Amino acid sequence: MWYAIQTITGKEEAAIETIQKLIDPKICENCFLLKREAIWRIQGRCQVHTERLFPGYVFLCTCNPEEFYRQLKQVPQYTRILGKEEEKFYPISQEEELFLKDLLQEDPEYTVRLSNVEVDEQGNIVACKEPLKAYLSCVVKKRIRLQYVVIRVQLFGKEREILLGIRLKGDSDELFNRSSPSR
């Protein structure tokens, strides 16, 4: 099961490193940051980079949340578990986990990749591929020229807007550079 941990924005990687050092790996099966691909236009070229999907949050898999919580108390200042009540905390809902996994499309780097889209002359999306395809009806904002859309979904107990990068049909591979640094 997946659990969300709130941490200091910008310190997510440090929190993951500390958790991996201090928490028994038998208790914390995996600790990770969810990212998304986004596009910057620099001198007429598209620069693809990754950035945090949910700044201030890290995710983990554990089958022993009580022991994880006990060990997490050793992690300095970085963390606060979502869904914690008294000495227990609860996983994100199965529906939320399935939604996040659907966005990730089994990406080994936990990154939501660009969705290929086709637009008409008015800028309306007429066709698209995963991961956006299943959530096209949830789009509340489109910035086709800036190559992103925003979807609105219920997540972590409230309505959230999530920015997803898009790649337009007809964009040639020469226009795109991929950068590895995460933001």
Side-chain angles (χ1 to χ4, degrees):
M1 300 185 117
W2 283 18
Y3 293 81
I5 299 176
Q6 190 172 18
T7 189
I8 300 166
T9 301
K11 300 286 186 185
E12 297 89 349
E13 288 89 355
I16 290 170
E17 285 177 29
T18 304
I19 287 169
Q20 289 171 338
K21 277 189 232 173
L22 297 177
I23 306 289
D24 182 345
K26 294 175 190 157
I27 302 301
C28 183
E29 300 162 25
N30 195 6
C31 189
F32 52 93
L33 177 63
L34 297 180
K35 300 170 282 194
R36 69 166 170 249
E37 284 187 332
I39 296 176
W40 288 337
R41 284 197 178 269
I42 300 170
Q43 297 176 346
R45 295 185 62 80
C46 296
Q47 184 72 37
V48 180
H49 70 280
T50 58
E51 55 191 35
R52 293 172 193 91
L53 185 60
F54 300 109
Y57 293 91
V58 297
F59 297 82
L60 66 105
C61 297
T62 184
C63 292
N64 191 342
E66 293 81 15
E67 180 59 21
F68 177 82
Y69 175 68
R70 191 185 67 70
Q71 291 186 23
L72 186 67
K73 290 179 182 179
Q74 301 172 48
V75 178
Q77 90 257 2
Y78 290 123
T79 58
R80 184 174 79 83
I81 297 169
L82 295 187
K84 180 190 170 301
E85 289 181 16
E86 297 172 9
E87 290 300 309
K88 292 185 176 182
F89 72 104
Y90 301 96
I92 63 174
S93 74
Q94 185 174 11
E95 182 179 277
E96 292 170 334
E97 184 176 336
L98 290 173
F99 165 72
L100 294 171
K101 286 179 176 178
D102 193 39
L103 284 181
L104 293 169
Q105 300 285 300
E106 299 182 15
D107 188 84
E109 297 174 349
Y110 296 98
T111 302
V112 179
R113 302 296 173 181
L114 299 174
S115 295
N116 291 317
V117 301
E118 186 176 338
V119 295
D120 63 17
E121 298 81 32
Q122 289 80 36
N124 298 312
I125 299 173
V126 294
C128 68
K129 301 225 186 250
E130 299 296 344
L132 178 60
K133 185 176 183 176
Y135 305 101
L136 195 52
S137 65
C138 299
V139 171
V140 294
K141 183 192 249 181
K142 298 178 292 195
R143 295 293 184 259
I144 302 300
R145 192 179 73 72
L146 298 176
Q147 295 191 258
Y148 73 86
V149 297
V150 176
I151 62 171
R152 184 176 296 142
V153 294
Q154 193 72 21
L155 192 63
F156 311 138
K158 64 182 184 179
E159 200 168 79
R160 296 189 185 265
E161 292 188 351
I162 301 171
L163 187 143
L164 300 174
I166 60 173
R167 181 174 174 162
L168 301 173
K169 180 179 179 181
D171 281 348
S172 67
D173 287 336
E174 302 87 60
L175 277 179
F176 284 82
N177 287 331
R178 292 197 184 277
S179 65
S180 55
S182 294
R183 286 195 58 199

